[in-house]
Amino acid sequence: MRNITVGYTLPAGLVSRFRFSSLRVYAQAQDPFVFTNYYGYDPEAGSAATPPSYRTLLVGANLGF
């Protein structure tokens, strides 16, 4: 798995209490899992000298006024 994104848009009735027109929260993960029997750093790397790929987690919100 390379990328996973999960998001939720809050209902307008709930968001209007905070004086917003819309609110969406989300989380995105890059390279969260590697499914392999390979025991080196990275099964997709071309050589043993290549550093492993990083896992990244991004969390955010989109606000509409």
Side-chain angles (χ1 to χ4, degrees):
M1 297 188 135
R2 298 294 263 171
N3 295 314
I4 298 173
T5 303
V6 177
Y8 181 72
T9 303
L10 277 76
L14 179 65
V15 174
S16 64
R17 295 179 188 174
F18 301 106
R19 297 183 182 165
F20 298 124
S21 62
S22 63
L23 175 61
R24 177 175 172 78
V25 293
Y26 62 90
Q28 178 182 8
Q30 293 179 340
D31 292 329
F33 308 108
V34 176
F35 300 108
T36 183
N37 291 331
Y38 180 76
Y39 292 107
Y41 279 123
D42 188 357
E44 294 183 1
S47 69
T50 305
S53 60
Y54 293 99
R55 293 182 177 128
T56 305
L57 178 63
L58 175 72
V59 178
N62 294 332
L63 299 172
F65 294 98

